[in-house]
Amino acid sequence: MIISRSVIDIACAARLLLGALVPVAPFSYARDQWRLLIDDPLTDRDIVSGESSKENIGGAFNERGWKAGKQGDALKIGLLKTAMKEGALEIIVSGIVWDDPESPGVANRKIHFLNMFSNEIGDHHAEDGGTATDALWTLRVGIRDGKPRYGNGFKVLWSSRGAKRSEGSLYHESKVMMPDGWRWRENESYWFRVEWSAERESLKIFVNEILLDEFAWVDQQENLDTIFIGKAGDFGTWVGPAFSGLKVWRRE
């Protein structure tokens, strides 16, 4: 962690006092440092500027965004414009029922609900087609023995160079802890943001403008040009939540 738990708690408490646990605006970064590449509300299957493809695998679009209805559903988006080695992805997730065993999937399943890859297969394993130069990051939830696998947090899987078990891979996994007292509420929306920077050598994870953790990101060789939402690889689907407000940024 780059910031102490007390700092996170203070930030969370301040937002509670303001009644602002729901994201109402993008993170307060300096806009002159960022260029918006993709702005997709995810309310229909139409390709927006900066996208090369948009494949809906069984899910449904409506005014609230894209939503998976059953196991196997996923949304795959190819990027025409990429952030290269200095970028960020943000998305809004609503309708989360965190402690319902049937909401994230089925018992003992792992679910990669938000992902970026430098390959189109959407899998982080070398034995399933990943290469020694792949770049990737994945956010994972799931159920084990009827309970959320990571408590009220989630897991981050990432590699700035190399799929898992490829030669010389920089692949890692880490559990992300939410602030003390955090609760996921079905009637609220949550703003996720992931930033990667070869210059700063960091991968940052935000939820509702709170920086939860930061990890090493070095020697990136491939562009992150494929997004998977709801599911990736041969893992489960996060059935229930709606995904909307997808944006991809490049740091200038």
Side-chain angles (χ1 to χ4, degrees):
M1 296 284 288
I2 65 166
I3 54 178
S4 68
R5 176 59 54 189
S6 61
V7 172
I8 292 179
D9 292 343
I10 290 170
C12 187
R15 292 184 64 78
L16 282 167
L17 288 172
L18 293 172
L21 272 178
V22 178
V24 295
F27 187 72
S28 56
Y29 46 79
R31 288 191 173 274
D32 58 357
Q33 296 179 0
W34 293 89
R35 176 187 174 193
L36 182 61
L37 300 179
I38 308 296
D39 188 357
D40 190 338
L42 301 181
T43 53
D44 57 48
R45 63 179 66 249
D46 293 344
I47 293 175
V48 304
S49 176
E51 294 176 348
S52 61
S53 62
K54 191 172 182 180
E55 182 181 0
N56 178 31
I57 307 168
F61 296 97
N62 60 34
E63 66 278 1
R64 294 190 60 197
W66 179 87
K67 183 177 179 179
K70 64 183 184 307
Q71 288 299 312
D73 290 357
L75 181 62
K76 178 181 177 182
I77 297 175
L79 301 183
L80 185 63
K81 300 177 181 178
T82 69
M84 297 182 289
K85 298 181 180 181
E86 304 291 326
L89 178 147
E90 58 190 53
I91 198 167
I92 295 171
V93 186
S94 58
I96 294 174
V97 184
W98 199 263
D99 56 358
D100 181 354
E102 296 305 316
S103 179
V106 294
N108 301 314
R109 290 299 297 269
K110 298 175 181 178
I111 296 153
H112 295 187
F113 69 97
L114 185 61
N115 317 261
M116 289 194 82
F117 291 90
S118 62
N119 65 56
E120 295 185 359
I121 61 174
D123 198 293
H124 61 282
H125 298 101
E127 55 268 34
D128 292 323
T131 73
T133 61
D134 279 354
L136 62 97
W137 60 256
T138 292
L139 305 187
R140 174 196 280 175
V141 293
I143 288 290
R144 179 169 51 197
D145 300 327
K147 297 179 181 179
R149 298 183 70 91
Y150 313 112
N152 71 346
F154 52 93
K155 201 167 192 179
V156 181
L157 302 79
W158 79 98
S159 180
S160 48
R161 189 200 68 223
K164 185 176 183 179
R165 290 188 287 271
S166 65
E167 184 176 356
S169 173
L170 299 177
Y171 176 87
H172 294 281
E173 301 182 8
S174 181
K175 181 179 176 180
V176 171
M177 302 295 294
M178 302 305 294
D180 292 343
W182 181 276
R183 289 184 61 193
W184 301 94
R185 293 178 170 87
E186 184 178 5
N187 62 346
E188 293 186 1
S189 299
Y190 297 91
W191 177 84
F192 287 77
R193 179 177 171 92
V194 179
E195 293 183 12
W196 63 95
S197 172
E199 180 181 354
R200 291 170 169 80
E201 299 185 344
S202 71
L203 178 77
K204 296 180 179 181
I205 312 297
F206 298 86
V207 173
N208 284 12
E209 302 185 7
I210 300 171
L211 175 58
L212 298 176
D213 220 329
E214 182 174 358
F215 309 103
W217 186 266
V218 298
D219 197 27
Q220 179 183 348
Q221 298 181 17
E222 305 286 348
N223 287 336
L224 294 164
D225 59 9
T226 307
I227 300 168
F228 286 83
I229 298 172
K231 178 188 185 300
D234 58 359
F235 295 92
T237 299
W238 204 2
V239 177
F243 296 84
S244 62
L246 173 67
K247 292 181 172 63
V248 178
W249 304 83
R250 178 189 297 163
R251 192 195 308 271
E252 298 293 346

